[in-house]
Amino acid sequence: MNTLAGKKIILGITGSIAAYKAAFFVRLLIKKGADVKVIMTQSATTFISPLTLSTLSKNPVITGIADGDEWSNHVELGLWADALIIAPATANTLAKMANGICDNILNAVYLSARCPVFIAPGMDLDMWTHPSTQANIQKLISFNNLLIEPESGELASGLIGKGRMAEPENILTFLSNFFRKEHLSLAGKTVLITAGPTYEPIDPVRFIGNHSSGKMGKALAAKVVARGGQVKLILGPSKLNIAQPGIEVIRITTALEMLDAAKKHFAQADIAIMAAAVADFRPKNVATEKIKKKANQDEMNIELVKNPDIAATLGNMKTNKQILIGFALETEQPVANATRKLNKKGFDFIVLNSLKDKGAGFNHDTNRITLVFKDNKTQEFQLKSKLDVADDILDAIEQVTKEKK
Ligand code: C5P
């Protein structure tokens, strides 16, 4: 479904090197049949020429409150638009937006706009992580602006990290999903997902871990976004590269770090899915230097202590409105054991992974699951791709949500 056809879109471009990507973005919008008007700040015009953007958008580019002897009516522009997208948004523009400063046409249109506002920041790593930028972002989110998270990678400065403006294709997907939201079942919902293994350090070079890949969590996150939801993905050590608007990846290493992150974000979550393979135990003491084997040493013991149960902790914090889902991998009496876990941890239902099927579980792209519900009902599924499994799990979550109302 092309949800952008006929949509009136104002693209605000500010002075970041990522401004060059705005040309591609305008082309994508025009191809989708959107009506695009471009506003540029003065510093944006030093990165890309207004002529390029007026040619691509088929509309004059607005760069000042007055262009020649014509006044650009910011109120009219703000009312005309179905969406205002500021891409790239510099730290400077974000700061102005967060504080109501209005010293150029773009900020005047922002303050006058009644339509949804999307912000795609683009800046260097340290500017993005600076507490003042992060505080401005939080403020802008609290004003109901929609953040299109910057992506990680090489930055124009040569630094590597988060700060690159999201790729035009990803901004387009975010926008299309937004306009589809009337049809999107998880629009407005925040879903917390734990995924991947945890690594429990023994010394600076060794750890206790497991083979979980994080693939099931990644598939769930992608499908939540496809249904219009926002994801906070708390991910243990995983090789997976996850850079998709709508998914905030919080990388952690140990179970204790996963617990902290889960507790921090749970209150804002409508749904939490515990897909992580958390280490049950961790070394009691972590050596500060690499442990050396001694001459004639044939045995070595590591004392372990129990890790906290993250799922059960959230189960205790859970309100009536929140939905909590767990995973289980059982070798004996799977349904009975899964039911016991479901009650103990406060899950609304539990996803039982099969150990019997080739291609199911750790590191595979496929999985075969059985859902076990509170009333002892079970629902079995065939071996499927993890993306299709994610859809089955989300369908069941939506069903449980309806029954709760
Ligand atoms: O008890 P068991 O490890 O089989 O429980 C599995 C479920 O509990 C999974 O959803 C897993 O993510 C979660 N879990 C957890 N914290 C732990 C152990 C398990 O969140 N320490």
Side-chain angles (χ1 to χ4, degrees), residues 2-203:
N2 177 10
T3 55
L4 291 170
K7 285 282 180 305
K8 299 190 210 85
I9 291 181
I10 296 180
L11 173 64
I13 308 174
T14 72
S16 148
I17 181 65
Y20 80 91
K21 292 188 192 172
F24 296 99
F25 183 51
V26 170
R27 267 193 66 207
L28 292 174
L29 287 171
I30 295 291
K31 269 193 185 165
K32 289 280 177 196
D35 192 354
V36 183
K37 291 188 180 176
V38 175
I39 301 176
M40 296 175 80
T41 61
Q42 280 306 322
S43 63
T45 62
T46 60
F47 287 95
I48 182 166
S49 117
L51 183 62
T52 307
L53 292 152
S54 62
T55 310
L56 291 170
S57 68
K58 304 182 174 79
N59 270 317
V61 169
I62 301 148
T63 53
I65 303 258
D67 271 343
D69 55 6
E70 267 201 32
W71 180 60
S72 295
N73 189 330
H74 56 86
V75 178
E76 236 170 52
L77 274 169
L79 293 179
W80 171 82
D82 294 316
L84 167 63
I85 305 149
I86 304 181
T90 57
N92 182 44
T93 292
L94 293 174
K96 288 186 198 172
M97 290 166 71
N99 292 288
I101 295 171
C102 184
D103 62 353
N104 64 26
I105 179 73
L106 180 58
N107 283 89
V109 171
Y110 165 66
L111 290 177
S112 315
R114 292 196 189 158
C115 61
V117 178
F118 300 79
I119 305 163
M123 66 194 73
D124 224 303
L125 172 67
D126 297 309
M127 296 174 86
W128 170 249
T129 52
H130 197 281
S132 59
T133 306
Q134 289 304 311
N136 288 332
I137 288 282
Q138 288 315 317
K139 212 165 164 188
L140 289 168
I141 291 173
S142 76
F143 299 158
N144 287 331
N145 295 301
L146 291 122
L147 175 68
I148 305 175
E149 289 270 348
E151 295 174 4
S152 287
E154 198 175 323
L155 297 154
S157 63
L159 291 176
I160 293 176
K162 202 168 174 181
R164 275 161 57 137
M165 185 183 84
E167 290 302 325
E169 291 83 359
N170 291 338
I171 303 179
L172 195 83
T173 305
F174 192 99
L175 266 186
S176 311
N177 282 345
F178 176 86
F179 283 116
R180 209 185 299 136
K181 81 169 178 238
E182 302 92 76
H183 313 283
L184 291 180
S185 44
L186 292 176
K189 301 265 190 232
T190 298
V191 182
L192 178 77
I193 301 173
T194 66
T198 64
Y199 284 0
E200 310 298 332
I202 298 168
D203 68 14

Side-chain angles (χ1 to χ4, degrees), residues 211-225:
H211 291 296
S212 169
S213 60
K215 284 181 181 174
M216 192 62 239
K218 181 181 177 179
L220 280 161
K223 289 295 184 174
V224 168
V225 171

Side-chain angles (χ1 to χ4, degrees), residues 111-402:
L111 290 177
S112 315
R114 292 196 189 158
C115 61
V117 178
F118 300 79
I119 305 163
M123 66 194 73
D124 224 303
L125 172 67
D126 297 309
M127 296 174 86
W128 170 249
T129 52
H130 197 281
S132 59
T133 306
Q134 289 304 311
N136 288 332
I137 288 282
Q138 288 315 317
K139 212 165 164 188
L140 289 168
I141 291 173
S142 76
F143 299 158
N144 287 331
N145 295 301
L146 291 122
L147 175 68
I148 305 175
E149 289 270 348
E151 295 174 4
S152 287
E154 198 175 323
L155 297 154
S157 63
L159 291 176
I160 293 176
K162 202 168 174 181
R164 275 161 57 137
M165 185 183 84
E167 290 302 325
E169 291 83 359
N170 291 338
I171 303 179
L172 195 83
T173 305
F174 192 99
L175 266 186
S176 311
N177 282 345
F178 176 86
F179 283 116
R180 209 185 299 136
K181 81 169 178 238
E182 302 92 76
H183 313 283
L184 291 180
S185 44
L186 292 176
K189 301 265 190 232
T190 298
V191 182
L192 178 77
I193 301 173
T194 66
T198 64
Y199 284 0
E200 310 298 332
I202 298 168
D203 68 14
V205 292
R206 303 180 181 98
F207 58 84
I208 297 174
N210 60 66
H211 291 296
S212 169
S213 60
K215 284 181 181 174
M216 192 62 239
K218 181 181 177 179
L220 280 161
K223 289 295 184 174
V224 168
V225 171
R227 293 178 186 218
Q230 291 273 334
V231 176
K232 295 209 187 278
L233 179 63
I234 305 175
L235 184 62
S238 161
K239 292 196 191 84
L240 296 179
N241 179 17
I242 303 169
Q244 190 184 341
I247 305 178
E248 183 189 342
V249 185
I250 302 149
R251 292 203 183 247
I252 54 84
T253 304
T254 65
L256 291 179
E257 288 166 3
M258 185 173 272
L259 176 72
D260 278 350
K263 285 203 309 204
K264 183 170 161 206
H265 295 288
F266 186 56
Q268 280 82 48
D270 302 284
I271 298 158
I273 309 174
M274 309 278 98
V278 184
D280 288 327
F281 293 92
R282 66 177 182 279
K284 186 171 181 185
N285 300 305
V286 181
T288 49
E289 302 293 333
K290 183 182 171 202
I291 301 171
K292 286 204 155 75
K293 57 182 175 295
K294 299 187 185 91
N296 299 327
Q297 184 184 8
D298 290 327
E299 278 188 12
M300 148 101 184
N301 292 308
I302 300 170
E303 200 179 340
L304 302 177
V305 287
K306 198 154 192 225
N307 266 331
D309 193 314
I310 300 161
T313 309
L314 300 191
N316 280 326
M317 293 165 67
K318 184 179 146 190
T319 64
N320 275 343
K321 285 191 188 145
Q322 287 175 305
I323 306 250
L324 183 64
I325 308 302
F327 275 72
L329 194 74
E330 303 291 339
T331 48
E332 290 163 65
Q333 297 183 307
V335 175
N337 278 327
T339 309
R340 196 177 39 78
K341 246 169 228 177
L342 178 132
N343 292 323
K344 192 173 135 212
K345 304 195 189 205
F347 293 142
D348 289 271
F349 66 81
I350 195 158
V351 183
L352 189 54
N353 284 299
S354 161
L355 268 181
K356 290 193 196 117
D357 291 271
K358 240 182 155 185
F362 279 171
N363 242 319
H364 290 289
D365 292 320
T366 49
N367 202 2
R368 186 173 159 217
I369 60 159
T370 302
L371 302 183
V372 182
F373 296 88
K374 276 185 184 160
D375 54 7
N376 290 332
K377 254 196 353 218
T378 58
Q379 195 178 359
E380 275 189 50
F381 296 87
Q382 298 301 312
L383 186 73
K384 304 180 173 188
S385 75
K386 285 190 173 169
L387 280 168
D388 288 342
V389 170
D391 266 328
D392 291 334
I393 296 171
L394 294 180
D395 286 347
I397 289 176
E398 288 180 16
Q399 188 56 35
V400 170
T401 312
K402 271 188 213 141

